[in-house]
Every structure is written in C-alpha cells, then in structure tokens.
Amino acid sequence: MDEDEDDDGSSWKPIRYRLPSRSIMPYAWDYPAAERKELVLTANGKERHVSLAEIGNLLPMKVPASQASGQVKIVDINVVADGPTQTLILSNYRPSKSLYKQRVATSSQSSLATGFEVKDLNMDVTFKARIRLAGVGISIINRQLRELAYVTFRNVDVKYNESALFQTLNTTIKWIQIDNQLYGGIFPIVLYPSVVPKTGKEMDVHPNLHFMITRVKDDSYGVLYVKYATILLQQMTLEIDEDFIFAVLDFSKMPGISWSEVSEGKLCDDRLDIPEPKLQQQGQDIYFELLHIQPTQLDISFVRTERVNAEDKTTSQNPLMFFLNIMTMAIGNINDAPVRLNALMLENARVSLPLLLQRVQSHYSQEFLYQVHKILGSADFLGNPVGLFNNISSGVADIFYEPYQGLVMTDRPQELGIGIAKGATSFVKKSVFGVTDSMSKFTGSISKGLAAATLDKQFQDRRRMNRARNRPRHALYGVTEGANSFVTSVASGVGGLARKPIEGAEREGLAGFVKGVGKGMLGLATKPAIGVFDLATNVTEGIRNTTTVFDNDGLDRVRLPRFVGMDGVVRPYSQREALGQSWLKQLDSGKFFDEDYIAHLELPREDVVVMLTYARIMLIKTRKLTVEWDVPLKDIQTISKERTGLSVTLKGGTNGPYIPVQEESGRNFLYRQIGIAVKSFNEKYLAKEQ
C-alpha cells in the first residue's frame, strides 16, 4: 500500500492489496509523485511501515494470533536489490538466520509487546593492516617537459580492519599541499591549509583529511553495501592565477580521455524518428546506509595574468579584445573569498557511481552559486570589502574576548589587565592590516590594468618578476621598493619614446617605425602613472606586512621546480640543477627567462657562479641575481682549457673573459657542458643556412 495521508484531508488515498502466502507480486508506486513513499503491512490488525529505500535485514514484525491458528507469528522482513528494482522479502522468522533476537519478557510484559534487539555479533577483528608513510610527493610534468605542479602528502596513515561482518578502511593525511612549479606564476602554492598547526599535537588532533568507510561483507543484498562513510577536509586556501589554469587545461588534453574529444555541436537533430533508449552498463550499485561529507571552507584567491606557460590564442590586434584585456586585468582579481560549503548527507541511498558523482557535483555547484556575493565582495578593484569587514570585526571581537579569556582562565586579577591590553593591540593591528590591505589591493588593480595597456611585453615581464621577488616585508622596505618601482617606470616610459621607434624600424621598416612611435607615446603616458600606483601599493603593502612581521607562519614551496633537459629524459630530481634553473629564470628581473639552462659551476669567489645556456656563457652574482658579464655563443671563436681555468677567445682574435677554475674535475665538467652547448648551437646554425 502506498500511503501519504495528511491530517488536512489530502487527496492521496491508500490502495490496499492482498498478498497470498508463497506468492510474488510485481509492484510500482501508485502515487509516484508523493513526497513520502512507503509500504504499510497489515495483518490481524497490526500495522508496520516499511521503507523500500532501507536495504537490509529489518526489524521483524510480530503478528497477533488469529482465531483460526490461535498463536502469535513472527515475520522476518528483508529488503534486497534485484537488478534495478528493490525486492521486499517476507519470510518466517528463524532465530539462526536473522540479525535480531527477541528480548527476554519480564512479568509485566505480554508476549506481544516484547520487542527485538540486535544479536550479540562477533565483532572481533580477524585481520588488521596498517601503512604509515612520512610523506608522498607526486611530480606532474606537462607536454612541454616543464614541471606543472608538485603534490605533497605528509604523515599518511592508512588502517584496514576486517571482522566476520565488516571491512573498514580508515585514512588520515595530516598535511596536504599543492605547489605551482611553473616559473612566472603569481602564487607559489596553489592549495594549502588555511590554519597552520603550531605543534605536532595540534596536527594529530586536526588532520587535513580524514576518510573512513565501513563495508558490509554480506553480498546477498545485491549491492555494494556501505554501512557508513565519512570525509572531512579542514579549511583550505586555494590561490590560483590564470596562467596556471590554462596550463592545467592544456595538460588535461591527453589522447584517449573522453573530455578531450572534440564533438561537432548541432543546434537540432534533423532526424524525426524516436531513438531506442540505450542500456547503460554502470556496474554494481552502491548502497549507503549513511554517507556524510562534512562541511568545510575554501578561501579562494584568483589573479588575472598574462599567459607565460600556456599559449595565448587571443590577439591584441582586435581593439575590443585589447580593451577587454585591460578591464579584466584591473577587475579580475579576487583575494581570500571565504566560501563555506555545507555538509552533504545521504541516508539509505542506492546510487550508481556516476549518479553519486553527479549528486556531489550538483550539491557543491549550488553551494558556490549561493555565495557568489562573497566572491564578488572580495574583488581587489573594490578594495576587498569582505576581507576588510572580517578583519575589523575580528579585531572588535578580540577587545571583548581577550579580557574575558584572561578573567575566566585564571583567578589572578592582573590577567584581566593583560587581556585588555591584548584585545586593544589586536584591534589596532587587525584594523591597520584591513585598511592598508584594502588600499593596496585597489591601487594594485589599477596599476595592473594600466600595465596591460602599455603593449610593452618586456616591461610587463620585468614588472611581474619584480613584484614576485620583492614583496615588501615591512614599511621601510615598502617605501624603498615603491620608490624604485616609480623610478624604473618613469625611466622606461621616457626611454621607450626613443627606443620603441628604433626597434620597430629594425623589424618592420617604416611601418614598424610608426608603430614604435605610437607605443612610445602610449608608454610615456601610462608608465609614470603605473609608477605612482606601484609606489602607493608597495607603501601600503609594507605597512600591512609590518603588522604580521612577527607572526612567522609563512609557507613556501616544498622544493624548487624540477629541471628537465632538452633531451626530454626525466631523471631523478637534482637539487643542484633545480637551483641553477631557478637562478637563470630570475636573473636581471627575468631578462633570460626564455633561455634553456644547461649547467652551472660555483667559482672560488664567494657568491659567483658560471652559468651556461644554449645561447650564452655568463658570470652571475647569486645573492642579487645580477649578471657581471655574458658572452653569446655566436661571438665566441675558441674556448681552451688551461691549468687554472678556461680562456675564451672572441671572434676577430680578441681575448674574452677568463674563467678561473682551480679543480681539474670542475674544469673538465664545465668544458664538457660547453661542448654540448656549442654542438647544439652549430646544429641550429647549419639548419638555418640550409
């Protein structure tokens, strides 16, 4: 019987069916649109409500004695999956087969009123396994042979227990971190915990990820029976830039993957016949007695950037795209948008794996849509009002919380005064942080949009590298770095007025000269303004960071990006090669960013290194990352190995720089690597000649 009767006289009326003994009756819901669907079993005046969604051995039903038989009967109730249907099985109660036993009746209870309880099952663990790993690192390399990301899991603990009835898998990961390994990225870390544990004990209590699943071993129910499953993810911070997103999308286009297949879109199908439905082979269904994905929070930051590690298919030749690029550069930045994701609970749910993933995706898509206002309110061009409100409100709360904490936690009166001082200090600190952070975000957005309008790729790259390397750690550093940015921007604007026409004439003749004049005039108008806004950004950012200079909770990449040679062979990770590649990418604010690293050798002089690429030999200072001299390979005539180093002779017979290398092993190593560079250079030169 399908029943959904409300007290207000609903139109749903129960329909009754008689079920003879030893019979099978196919059944579909009489009222499929009813909100609450259940079967009601009636026998000798006794009723029992049964939910078909609840798979398993249900509580038995006691049927009162009839006039004919004169004895009480017990019906065992089971719900099992039979293909796409649910089957209700009613059978005689057998204590040896059922999961339930009768409670022992007391003198005050009648035999009919006595209920049932679960048997004392054998829960002893018959098999136990445990895997503990101090850390797991996964290196992801794209088709361009660059390390895209490095995923780190620390303190991984996997436990597996098995008893006569259940299998349990319990996994905890105490630290999760995903590093952006692409050079030129704004954020070095993509994903990490928002709250950094101060002690190991705190990390033990609150691991980043906890996952547990308990499966029933009995396969007679026709489904994969999961008694309980839970996932807990602590509050995480997601910081991502546009260049990294496009690099990930490019990486995902792997041959054979379903989402990488290009399908021809059709507005409508010209066939008028109705196709036969296709039977989808989805595998075995999963039944969850309870699935609990616990609530979490993501603090999202996004920065609109120029493409450095992914192909940019848009072009600035289109004026509309040019102005759209400027606008999105200015307004397309979000900082610390707090997105709270509510829990997802599924009870007595029978689903296939694709349907389960669809439900989870739908739930979290709605959660994000409901909080779009928080994401928009965290935009940099608005000054991040959500972040400003959170900082100031947190400071106001500390004014009352710290004195209360000091008074409640201890009986000493002086703790109240200390609490008042702590609360006032926290209020001032967080207010200053919030206001200066808001100002720096606003001025930074404007300068970023103006930088996109300069059409000067070299200026944009150097500015980006300077911003990434020279973040002001305190107010004084902010003033000096801001002044340096202002002077550099003004000098670039004035110098570009003469340099751009010459560069354009060398490339495209008269047309290039005219374009260069236009670019020079545009740079003269925009670059000084960029310098002014960069000055304001650095000063306010320095004041902001002064409030947190003693917090010491900064995180960094687990390791430098992996070096992969031009031969395409991925070798075991080398810290030395990774360091050399890192120096090359940052030299002179990214001047040699596009060159390929071969090797480097540290010289006896402190802080001095010989750097070798496929285009040149350089002597660099590693502390300031500046170049003392560099010689392009096209200008070299010979390189000879001597007793105390290597001598370079330039074309025309003039003496080049001398490289002092005392150790013979060092001389041989550098000479071999130079040979590789020269061979590659000659092959490219001969290919051009042909």
Side-chain angles (χ1 to χ4, degrees):
M1 181 187 70
D2 179 21
E3 182 178 13
D4 186 35
E5 292 186 300
D6 296 328
D7 296 333
D8 59 353
S10 172
S11 60
W12 306 109
K13 294 182 179 180
I15 299 176
R16 301 178 183 274
Y17 300 91
R18 183 175 298 278
L19 186 63
S21 60
R22 294 183 176 85
S23 64
I24 298 175
M25 186 183 77
Y27 173 75
W29 296 116
D30 297 300
Y31 301 107
E35 183 178 352
R36 177 166 164 255
K37 294 187 280 290
E38 64 181 10
L39 295 174
V40 180
L41 305 178
T42 305
N44 296 341
K46 178 72 181 274
E47 285 190 350
R48 170 69 183 277
H49 291 249
V50 176
S51 172
L52 280 182
E54 192 175 347
I55 294 178
N57 189 190
L58 307 184
L59 203 68
M61 174 183 175
K62 274 193 175 183
V63 179
S66 62
Q67 294 181 355
S69 63
Q71 78 180 76
V72 176
K73 293 190 176 181
I74 302 175
V75 178
D76 202 28
I77 303 173
N78 279 277
V79 178
V80 299
D82 184 11
T85 65
Q86 305 275 95
T87 303
L88 174 66
I89 301 174
L90 305 176
S91 59
N92 293 323
Y93 171 73
R94 295 181 181 178
S96 60
K97 299 289 186 180
S98 178
L99 293 176
Y100 299 92
K101 65 179 181 179
Q102 287 185 277
R103 290 198 189 101
V104 178
T106 60
S107 58
S108 61
Q109 292 177 319
S110 66
S111 61
L112 188 61
T114 305
F116 293 86
E117 61 183 4
V118 179
K119 288 180 181 178
D120 297 327
L121 303 173
N122 181 17
M123 301 296 291
D124 294 339
V125 176
T126 58
F127 178 78
K128 182 186 292 185
R130 184 174 187 179
I131 300 174
R132 300 182 67 180
L133 301 172
V136 177
I138 302 172
S139 177
I140 301 174
I141 300 172
N142 61 17
R143 287 179 291 183
Q144 289 77 30
L145 299 178
R146 298 174 189 160
E147 190 172 46
L148 176 63
Y150 187 71
V151 185
T152 304
F153 302 110
R154 294 181 191 163
N155 296 324
V156 181
D157 192 358
V158 181
K159 301 176 186 175
Y160 174 80
N161 294 333
E162 186 171 344
S163 63
L165 296 176
F166 303 110
Q167 293 172 321
T168 302
L169 180 67
N170 192 339
T171 303
T172 58
I173 302 175
K174 295 181 181 177
W175 184 268
I176 299 174
Q177 181 174 323
I178 301 177
D179 296 337
N180 178 0
Q181 298 293 86
L182 296 175
Y183 285 105
I186 301 297
F187 299 114
I189 308 177
V190 176
L191 184 71
Y192 61 93
S194 299
V195 180
V196 180
K198 296 180 180 178
T199 61
K201 185 177 180 182
E202 196 173 328
M203 190 182 289
D204 291 340
V205 176
H206 302 291
N208 280 171
L209 178 67
H210 176 243
F211 168 76
M212 190 181 77
I213 183 169
T214 300
R215 172 185 174 267
V216 176
K217 294 175 68 175
D218 188 355
D219 293 327
S220 63
Y221 299 113
V223 290
L224 181 64
Y225 194 125
V226 177
K227 190 166 186 65
Y228 178 67
T230 181
I231 301 174
L232 170 63
L233 181 67
Q234 298 290 348
Q235 181 179 346
M236 303 292 285
T237 295
L238 178 67
E239 295 181 336
I240 198 164
D241 57 58
E242 183 187 19
D243 184 51
F244 183 79
I245 291 177
F246 277 98
V248 171
L249 290 175
D250 183 63
F251 174 79
S252 66
K253 296 175 183 176
M254 294 178 285
I257 302 297
S258 59
W259 60 74
S260 64
E261 296 176 0
V262 179
S263 59
E264 296 182 4
K266 289 185 179 180
L267 182 61
C268 60
D269 199 339
D270 53 1
R271 293 178 300 174
L272 298 178
D273 57 324
I274 300 175
E276 289 292 327
K278 296 180 180 178
L279 181 63
Q280 295 183 351
Q281 300 293 331
Q282 297 181 342
Q284 188 179 27
D285 284 353
I286 307 172
Y287 171 72
F288 290 97
E289 195 169 305
L290 179 62
L291 170 64
H292 186 194
I293 302 178
Q294 304 197 38
T296 186
Q297 176 173 324
L298 278 178
D299 299 325
I300 301 175
S301 297
F302 171 78
V303 172
R304 171 88 164 80
T305 59
E306 295 288 351
R307 311 281 175 81
V308 179
N309 297 283
E311 183 183 357
D312 190 357
K313 296 183 179 179
T314 61
T315 173
S316 60
Q317 302 295 328
N318 187 338
L320 181 62
M321 292 303 299
F322 172 66
F323 286 108
L324 181 64
N325 183 47
I326 295 173
M327 292 300 297
T328 54
M329 278 291 181
I331 68 177
N333 304 318
I334 296 166
N335 186 259
D336 275 344
V339 179
R340 294 178 177 87
L341 306 174
N342 290 324
L344 173 63
M345 293 188 69
L346 297 178
E347 193 171 358
N348 295 323
R350 177 190 174 185
V351 292
S352 62
L353 185 58
L355 183 58
L356 175 63
L357 296 177
Q358 183 182 343
R359 283 196 187 182
V360 173
Q361 180 183 353
S362 175
H363 170 76
Y364 287 114
S365 297
Q366 292 180 4
E367 290 293 314
F368 270 96
L369 287 176
Y370 292 155
Q371 301 180 71
V372 169
H373 62 285
K374 291 184 180 180
I375 297 175
L376 296 178
S378 301
D380 283 359
F381 80 100
L382 296 176
N384 191 6
V386 171
L388 176 62
F389 174 78
N390 288 341
N391 278 299
I392 293 179
S393 60
S394 176
V396 171
D398 287 345
I399 293 178
F400 301 97
Y401 175 76
E402 291 292 349
Y404 172 78
Q405 188 80 353
L407 187 64
V408 170
M409 296 299 291
T410 62
D411 297 330
R412 297 183 301 171
Q414 58 267 33
E415 290 296 329
L416 177 62
I418 294 173
I420 293 173
K422 283 183 178 179
T425 303
S426 177
F427 171 72
V428 172
K429 174 181 170 182
K430 291 182 178 180
S431 298
V432 171
F433 181 94
V435 172
T436 53
D437 180 68
S438 184
M439 292 175 63
S440 68
K441 294 290 187 295
F442 175 71
T443 55
S445 294
I446 297 176
S447 62
K448 189 177 173 188
L450 289 173
T454 61
L455 296 177
D456 189 342
K457 184 72 165 57
Q458 186 179 10
F459 173 78
Q460 293 169 1
D461 291 343
R462 289 202 172 194
R463 179 180 175 274
R464 186 183 67 251
M465 293 294 291
N466 273 325
R467 291 286 299 155
R469 283 188 56 213
N470 302 316
R471 291 283 182 184
R473 294 183 292 273
H474 49 76
L476 183 60
Y477 193 92
V479 173
T480 56
E481 185 56 35
N484 184 42
S485 297
F486 175 73
V487 172
T488 303
S489 298
V490 172
S492 178
V494 175
L497 196 60
R499 189 176 63 254
K500 290 298 178 183
I502 296 173
E503 291 177 353
E506 289 177 350
R507 286 196 302 267
E508 302 178 35
L510 181 60
F513 177 82
V514 175
K515 289 181 183 178
V517 171
K519 288 184 179 181
M521 295 295 292
L522 185 62
L524 184 63
T526 56
K527 290 177 181 177
I530 292 170
V532 172
F533 284 109
D534 278 347
L535 173 61
T537 302
N538 280 284
V539 170
T540 52
E541 194 172 335
I543 296 172
R544 181 199 69 184
N545 292 342
T546 302
T547 63
T548 60
V549 71
F550 297 111
D551 290 355
N552 195 28
D553 59 350
L555 296 174
D556 203 353
R557 286 184 176 124
V558 174
R559 60 168 176 76
L560 291 171
R562 175 191 296 272
F563 168 72
V564 181
M566 294 293 289
D567 58 2
V569 178
V570 180
R571 297 177 175 85
Y573 180 79
S574 169
Q575 178 70 25
R576 184 179 184 280
E577 292 177 342
L579 181 60
Q581 180 180 240
S582 174
W583 284 337
L584 175 64
K585 298 295 182 182
Q586 299 178 70
L587 275 176
D588 281 354
S589 300
K591 182 179 179 181
F592 307 99
F593 184 86
D594 294 326
E595 295 197 10
D596 295 308
Y597 167 85
I598 295 180
H600 73 275
L601 182 66
E602 297 179 9
L603 298 184
R605 286 170 53 195
E606 186 180 358
D607 189 34
V608 176
V609 168
V610 178
M611 179 74 65
L612 178 65
T613 73
Y614 283 95
R616 68 191 72 243
I617 304 174
M618 296 179 284
L619 190 72
I620 68 171
K621 291 287 192 70
T622 56
R623 286 184 184 172
K624 295 184 178 180
L625 289 175
T626 56
V627 179
E628 284 202 353
W629 56 257
D630 77 278
V631 180
L633 295 182
K634 63 183 179 63
D635 295 339
I636 296 176
Q637 181 173 321
T638 59
I639 297 177
S640 58
K641 185 166 58 171
E642 300 182 1
R643 292 186 61 185
T644 58
L646 301 177
S647 64
V648 179
T649 304
L650 304 180
K651 289 182 178 178
T654 57
N655 293 327
Y658 183 79
I659 307 173
V661 183
Q662 299 294 334
E663 297 182 0
E664 184 178 359
S665 59
R667 289 196 300 273
N668 293 335
F669 168 77
L670 186 59
Y671 193 74
R672 281 197 311 272
Q673 300 303 320
I674 291 174
I676 294 173
V678 170
K679 181 181 178 182
S680 174
F681 178 81
N682 290 337
E683 289 175 354
K684 290 181 181 179
Y685 181 78
L686 291 173
K688 287 181 181 179
E689 289 291 322
Q690 294 175 356

